[in-house]
Each structure stands twice: as structure tokens, then as C-alpha cells.
Amino acid sequence: MIIPETHPRYKSLMARDRLVACIKAGITSQQGLIAHGRGEAFDYLIGERTLSSTRRATEVAAAMLLIADKPVLSVNGNVAALVAKEIIELSKLLNAPLEVNIFYRTEARARRIKELLENQGADNVLGDKLDAEIPGIEHARAKVDREGIYSADVVLAPLEDGDRCKALVDMGKKVITIDLNPLSRTSKQASVSIVDNIERAMKNIISALKAGSKSKPDLAALLLNYDNNVNLKAVIEEIRDRLKQEELNVNLK
Ligand code: PTJ
């Protein structure tokens, strides 16, 4: 079915189509659709826009990536379907490797994600040499590249699971997540949680990096003054205020 650009939910329907196409191509897991549906529900509550508290988290994330010694960007099946182009651009801007790291791991799917990234221009994709293990996780995501996620100081891990996020933080790493659910274990465990749709979040991180006018000490100060729990509270307050407004609108009819 061809979706007209004038359809009020055009963007959202196109994202669904990309995920379905990537499931058919063996890139995204079937469970990825369910995860996306949960994300969509939160995006609806947020109002499908970037909250002001999220803008702050995004700026902090960009600063953290900029001053990292060894940043690594983790890619799963949903990330590959929705923002391959943007995550490749980010990896080039930062001169940081991408690492394919998936929860519902099959070797075939990991290989196809790597191929998709390389076909779109990525030149440093890790993830087939699983020669190190993150302590404290029992599922497939524990296995990583020693030169990649294992030895990174900052990991961007969008649409992550809570266990691995905590395990990475326990290893002393800074973890930046992108997750529309501010209540998820991942959002609560991360060093910086970007509560936003991954498509908007990636564009905003890239813009913040390109704008990058701040000096290193200013970037470091931005990080020092940031508390992820305080920011998550602000996100929840913004959502609550929006729902209150919606409630008033319903009452007026
Ligand atoms: O490719 P794999 O095997 O690594 O699997 C990837 C998924 C996403 C299926 C896997 O990591 C998974 O099951 O994730 P969870 O535990 O369901 O968590 C995904 C989180 O991402 C949820 O909290 C969703 O609300 C959120 N989310 C889903 N879609 C988006 C999103 N956040 C931002 N943007 C989205 N488009």
C-alpha cells in the first residue's frame, strides 16, 4: 500500500514500513515490532516532539561523546532499520566504531546488520569478533568485541535492555541510552537517558555535535552539573503537564 505524504501519521507509518521490510530482510527481529509499538505509545504521550528536558539530555550526551577517549556506538536490529544513515554519520563525526550487538542473536542477523551498515558507507563496524564478555549478564548481549564495547569509556546504546545497561555502568562506563520510556530500567540505569524517538534523537545529537562551539572545559562542566535522575523527573513532569492539558481539552468539549 502506498501511503500519501499528506497522511497525518505519514512519518509513523513509514517507520513501521521500514521495520516490516527489515524483518523480511532478516535484519530486525520480530520482537522489534513489539518493542517499537511500546515506544510509539510513549511517543504519543510525549506529543511526538522533543521535550525541553530531553534537549538538555541530548546536549549533555553530545558533550559526553565529544570528550570521550573511546566512544562506541551499539547497533541492534531496530536501530539498523530506523536510523542506519544517521548512526553512520555520527560514527564518522566522532571517529568512533559501530558495534553490532543484538539481544535476539543469530549469526545471520548480525551479519546482515553489518552488511547493511557497510553498504550504506560505514567503514568501521565491529561485532563479529566476540572475544570478551561483559560480567553479570547471561544472554547473548554479554558477548562483545574487546576492542569495542568492552574497552569503551562511553557507549551509546539506543533501545537497550536494562540488564546490560546496568552491567556496562557497573564496569565503570558512561552509558547514553535513547528510550521513549522514561520509566524503563534502562532509562533509570543510564548515565544519560534521552527520552525521545530515536529518529528525532539521532538528528538532534548530530546537530549538537555539528554546532559544537564549546571548549573542552565547558563541555566537562556541562557533564558535572548534570544529574540523570533529576532530568528524568523533569521529563515525567513535562509528560504529566501535557496530559493535564489534554484532560482540560477533553473537559471543554
Ligand atoms: O535487534 P535485537 O535482537 O537487539 O532486539 C532489539 C529490541 C529493541 C527488540 C530489544 O532490545 C528489546 O526487546 O528491547 P526492549 O527491552 O523492548 O526495549 C526497547 C525500549 O526501546 C522500550 O522501552 C521502548 O519503549 C523503546 N523504544 C522502542 N522504539 C523506540 C524506542 N525508543 C526510542 N525510539 C524508538 N523508535
Side-chain angles (χ1 to χ4, degrees):
M1 180 192 149
I2 294 172
I3 301 159
E5 280 186 40
T6 48
H7 193 289
R9 304 213 48 77
Y10 178 75
K11 270 194 184 166
S12 159
L13 294 173
M14 291 308 285
R16 287 182 178 186
D17 274 5
R18 281 206 302 283
L19 283 163
V20 170
C22 282
I23 291 173
K24 287 187 184 151
I27 288 163
T28 305
S29 68
Q30 293 188 348
Q31 291 86 344
L33 273 190
I34 300 167
H36 186 77
R38 179 158 42 163
E40 277 189 344
F42 277 100
D43 209 7
Y44 222 87
L45 299 181
I46 285 170
E48 295 176 309
R49 77 214 145 101
T50 300
L51 300 172
S52 46
S53 36
T54 296
R55 284 202 187 279
R56 177 154 155 68
T58 307
E59 268 185 35
V60 172
M64 194 172 260
L65 287 166
L66 264 178
I67 58 177
D69 289 325
K70 200 172 175 195
V72 175
L73 317 178
S74 183
V75 181
N76 66 22
N78 286 48
V79 173
L82 295 173
V83 288
K85 186 173 138 282
E86 290 79 6
I87 204 143
I88 294 166
E89 183 178 0
L90 186 59
S91 121
K92 291 191 171 169
L93 279 170
L94 295 165
N95 196 18
L98 298 166
E99 181 163 340
V100 177
N101 186 272
I102 53 183
F103 184 74
Y104 299 101
R105 188 170 180 99
T106 68
E107 293 318 307
R109 198 155 69 82
R111 194 187 60 245
R112 287 193 201 104
I113 295 174
K114 187 172 194 279
E115 280 166 7
L116 170 100
L117 295 169
E118 288 173 345
N119 289 341
Q120 294 205 23
D123 42 31
N124 192 1
V125 187
L126 308 173
D128 28 45
K129 189 164 63 70
L130 302 176
D131 57 354
E133 203 157 304
I134 301 167
I137 326 177
E138 281 170 13
H139 52 73
R141 261 188 172 166
K143 297 213 163 51
V144 287
D145 191 314
R146 188 167 292 280
E147 295 305 312
I149 288 174
Y150 191 79
S151 53
D153 60 340
V154 175
V155 182
L156 173 70
L159 281 59
E160 179 63 56
D161 59 90
D163 288 357
R164 194 174 76 134
C165 182
K166 179 175 184 306
L168 291 170
V169 170
D170 287 347
M171 283 177 86
K173 300 178 192 307
K174 301 277 182 213
V175 181
I176 301 165
T177 59
I178 301 171
D179 188 332
L180 276 159
N181 179 0
L183 311 175
S184 73
R185 282 180 311 135
T186 305
S187 290
K188 290 179 183 161
Q189 310 271 11
S191 319
V192 181
S193 309
I194 301 177
V195 181
D196 207 354
N197 188 304
I198 189 164
E199 295 182 67
R200 294 194 299 270
M202 289 300 298
K203 287 196 176 86
N204 290 337
I205 297 175
I206 290 170
S207 303
L209 283 181
K210 284 186 172 164
S213 49
K214 290 193 174 64
S215 65
K216 252 195 168 184
D218 283 351
L219 292 172
L222 202 63
L223 300 189
L224 262 184
N225 296 324
Y226 180 79
D227 180 325
N228 199 50
N229 286 333
V230 171
N231 200 266
L232 276 180
K233 270 192 177 181
V235 166
I236 293 167
E237 271 167 28
E238 278 193 74
I239 298 173
R240 191 196 56 202
D241 290 349
R242 175 165 189 278
L243 292 181
K244 274 195 180 152
Q245 193 53 51
E246 285 290 328
E247 189 189 6
L248 286 177
N249 292 345
V250 172
N251 287 342
L252 285 175
K253 279 184 193 161

